[in-house]
Amino acid sequence: MEIILSDLQIPNFPVYSEPIKANRKTTSIKDRPVIVGFGPAGMFAALELIDYGLKPLIFERGKKIEERSVDVQKFIKEREINPESNIQFGEGGAGSYSDGKLFSRRNNNSSYVNRVLKTFIKFGAPEEIGYISKPHLGTDVLRTIVRNIRSYILERGGEIYYGSKMTDILISEGKASGIIINGEKEYLSSSIYIALGHSARDTFEMMHEKGVAIEQRPISVGVRIEHPVETINLMRYGDKYKDFPGLGAAAYSLNYTNRKIQRGVYTFCMCPGGEVINASSNQGMLVLNGMSYSHRSSAFSNAALVVTCRADDYKSTGPLAGLEFQKDIERKAFDAGGGRWEAPAQNLMDFLGESSSVGLNKNSYKMGTVSADMKDIFPAFVVEELLAAFNKWKEEVPLFVSNHAILLGAETRTASPVRIKRNEKLESVNIKNLYPIGEGSGYTGGITSSAADAIKAVEINVSRFIPC
Ligand SMILES: Cc1cc2nc3c(=O)[nH]c(=O)nc-3n(C[C@H](O)[C@H](O)[C@H](O)COP(=O)(O)OP(=O)(O)OC[C@H]3O[C@@H](n4cnc5c(N)ncnc54)[C@H](O)[C@@H]3O)c2cc1C
């Protein structure tokens, strides 16, 4: 079902007019804080800076969410990827096309997470996200919230530049003094928040060349597994309650650990009543992810099923080796899918039987699937660990490991494969005035944690702008 933005009922929010926190003196600042990237981290850094009476300059390589949605639909229909405007890049960041799960694996109860949830409610999220255990928004609600946050920032003097990619950083004697946009325009600032997300490969490469301290980081890779929603509801709710009204599409979380070799297999970013989507951002490299709308009512439920990787799985110890590892798998997935963005797929029972599928199970992936062998896409250890996990789960969750399931390739962007090294002030360890935040920093992941990380970074570093 395609969402026509004009159809979306934009609830009329009370114009937010809470006075700027009185105890924070606004200042006439010589240079304005700069934010690179307008995903959850960039958005919350901007909101926090505005709370201190500052007027950030925000640069986003992608487009406004309305135009971005047109590009995403165009990609699905005409199979022409726009490397600057897609599921990863554009206003609202990667999170805008997601299930919008707002819970994090790490610190659900931190005050920062609560502030993030409160802010989402302020900009239009349902109140219940403030008290239910596993809150989720859905992509339709997220996009409305992104527009409201945009208006709020602009109304308070923030400036947002779209189609504006940071292509260089001005660094001298270990200090950043500004950035270059689109290879031409210079913006000076002594406070640069780098909120790039996990897919800004060209920018990571540029920062590495510029001498910003970066290191490689282990990630997890694997498949997206999908079942009919009834199968998962039966698995989770049982025969008696599988159709119980109000229960909604069931969620699950599975993990398996091979203690001998210290590798794990786990489900990630599960989308009940959602769909498998093409989350690629580079020509010829196919990566999948999942999303859902607020009502989670599709006929399928899916999740990433990934295997933990180690630094020695990468071809070198270089800081960008993880990026190359990802690219390698994504290229193989693109080719195994036939090279027109169809997804390589294999019915689970054929994967276990080590045979390729003749008829593929129905699935939610809009760009089509092609029968393929997962062995042709992933390193051997990934296939072995997936097989081991399925063989373990065969007894425990027979409906999960059944002929209802299909595997689609490939899930590679579960986290950032690089870490931009930072100190306890969340500042780069070797370049002053540079604050790597959010998923692209390599220290956090997920919508809520990335936003919380941004709030923290501003809180720690804004004092330089506020005269005592
Ligand atoms: C399909 C999908 C579903 C997901 N589902 C969930 C979910 O349900 N729950 C959850 O918690 N997380 C989910 N995630 C992960 C979540 O989206 C990210 O963890 C989160 O968005 C990270 O926020 P961020 O601001 O750090 O980075 P991002 O959201 O990735 O934003 C980074 C922004 O920086 C911009 N940028 C990059 N390079 C440059 C440059 N050089 N110059 C200017 N701008 C630049 C990008 O265009 C992008 O808009 C999902 C991700 C995807 C792709």
Side-chain angles (χ1 to χ4, degrees):
M1 172 184 71
E2 178 183 355
I3 285 256
I4 309 296
L5 289 176
S6 52
D7 296 348
L8 274 173
Q9 303 309 314
I10 313 289
N12 49 10
F13 297 100
V15 173
Y16 200 81
S17 56
E18 179 189 21
I20 292 167
K21 298 183 178 136
N23 59 2
R24 295 194 184 136
K25 293 193 230 51
T26 53
T27 63
S28 57
I29 48 174
K30 282 185 271 344
D31 62 22
R32 296 167 68 173
V34 155
I35 300 171
V36 179
F38 199 46
M43 286 193 289
F44 278 76
L47 290 171
E48 195 63 14
L49 288 163
I50 280 176
D51 246 8
Y52 284 93
L54 299 165
K55 298 176 176 22
L57 300 174
I58 304 154
F59 300 94
E60 168 52 56
R61 68 192 297 169
K63 297 181 185 172
K64 265 186 177 177
I65 196 137
E66 294 87 343
E67 296 152 36
R68 183 185 176 194
S69 296
V70 174
D71 291 334
V72 169
Q73 291 304 332
K74 193 159 174 283
F75 173 43
I76 294 171
K77 285 210 179 71
E78 300 162 22
R79 299 171 187 275
E80 289 302 317
I81 192 162
N82 178 333
E84 298 300 341
S85 179
N86 49 57
I87 292 280
Q88 303 288 350
F89 297 156
E91 181 174 47
S96 304
Y97 293 86
S98 77
D99 182 40
K101 286 178 283 297
L102 296 181
F103 50 92
S104 70
R105 287 169 182 263
R106 258 173 288 198
N107 55 6
N108 262 342
N109 301 321
S110 84
S111 65
Y112 291 104
V113 166
N114 292 331
R115 281 169 63 182
V116 170
L117 296 178
K118 279 207 183 86
T119 303
F120 274 126
I121 293 168
K122 174 173 130 184
F123 288 107
E127 298 277 340
E128 65 177 25
I129 68 162
Y131 53 79
I132 59 175
S133 66
K134 294 211 164 156
H136 104 279
L137 288 174
T139 195
D140 41 347
V141 175
L142 265 167
R143 286 186 233 175
T144 315
I145 292 172
V146 167
R147 276 201 296 270
N148 296 321
I149 289 178
R150 177 214 299 165
S151 319
Y152 180 90
I153 290 171
L154 296 176
E155 281 157 16
R156 284 161 182 75
E159 291 173 36
I160 311 171
Y161 296 86
Y162 302 96
S164 299
K165 179 160 73 176
M166 177 185 76
T167 49
D168 200 348
I169 305 174
L170 306 174
I171 297 173
S172 62
E173 290 154 14
K175 226 182 202 176
S177 59
I179 61 170
I180 305 288
I181 294 295
N182 298 341
E184 53 191 25
K185 204 124 192 304
E186 184 178 286
Y187 292 87
L188 300 181
S189 175
S190 61
S191 190
I192 305 165
Y193 293 88
I194 302 286
L196 302 171
H198 58 30
S199 291
R201 295 169 168 173
D202 51 0
T203 315
F204 294 138
E205 285 154 7
M206 177 273 282
M207 291 174 78
H208 177 53
E209 270 152 38
K210 296 292 293 194
V212 179
I214 285 184
E215 63 186 6
Q216 60 171 237
R217 184 169 176 261
I219 57 171
S220 302
V221 298
V223 293
R224 188 136 288 246
I225 185 167
E226 189 164 67
H227 300 76
V229 72
E230 305 85 46
T231 305
I232 300 301
N233 288 1
L234 180 57
M235 178 178 102
R236 299 289 289 143
Y237 300 147
D239 201 33
K240 190 167 173 201
Y241 295 105
K242 65 181 184 338
D243 306 317
F244 201 82
L247 272 181
Y252 60 75
S253 169
L254 293 169
N255 61 66
Y256 156 82
T257 305
N258 181 336
R259 300 199 186 293
K260 261 201 254 97
I261 58 169
Q262 287 309 307
R263 272 197 205 278
V265 179
Y266 59 97
T267 57
F268 178 74
C269 193
M270 198 248 156
C271 296
E275 58 185 273
V276 178
I277 55 170
N278 188 324
S280 307
S281 55
N282 301 90
Q283 186 53 44
M285 296 180 206
L286 174 62
V287 56
L288 301 180
N289 207 308
M291 66 164 254
S292 71
Y293 293 101
S294 49
H295 37 66
R296 287 179 160 171
S297 59
S298 99
F300 299 96
S301 287
N302 64 71
L305 187 59
V306 291
V307 178
T308 53
C309 306
R310 297 189 293 248
D312 57 13
D313 295 323
Y314 298 162
K315 292 207 175 87
S316 84
T317 55
L320 303 175
L323 278 184
E324 295 314 315
F325 179 78
Q326 277 180 330
K327 289 183 191 173
D328 192 38
I329 296 171
E330 292 175 16
R331 282 194 197 94
K332 288 185 179 143
F334 181 78
D335 298 344
R340 279 178 41 78
W341 301 109
E342 281 94 346
Q346 192 171 17
N347 295 338
L348 175 54
M349 301 322 273
D350 297 325
F351 175 70
L352 296 177
E354 305 198 13
S355 60
S356 49
S357 304
V358 179
L360 286 167
N361 291 0
K362 279 211 184 81
N363 60 81
S364 65
Y365 183 65
K366 286 201 179 95
M367 299 177 85
T369 42
V370 167
S371 176
D373 194 331
M374 295 299 135
K375 276 206 235 40
D376 301 335
I377 299 168
F378 296 101
F381 75 85
V382 172
V383 174
E384 284 150 21
E385 292 314 307
L386 287 174
L387 286 168
F390 283 128
N391 286 323
K392 169 115 181 352
W393 293 333
K394 237 193 295 203
E395 311 308 318
E396 296 163 9
V397 272
L399 276 169
F400 187 78
V401 187
S402 68
N403 55 14
H404 298 288
I406 184 171
L407 308 180
L408 299 95
E411 277 270 354
T412 57
R413 307 208 192 159
T414 50
S416 179
V418 299
R419 180 173 288 135
I420 307 173
K421 294 171 79 175
R422 65 187 192 183
N423 57 27
E424 69 293 346
K425 286 179 55 192
L426 283 50
E427 184 174 32
S428 159
V429 289
N430 71 330
I431 306 294
K432 287 208 159 321
N433 303 341
L434 216 54
Y435 306 100
I437 55 174
E439 182 138 37
S441 70
Y443 289 87
T444 185
I447 295 168
T448 307
S449 306
S450 300
D453 189 57
I455 295 174
K456 225 182 287 176
V458 170
E459 217 172 57
I460 295 170
N461 294 293
V462 78
S463 55
R464 73 206 338 270
F465 275 109
I466 309 278
C468 352

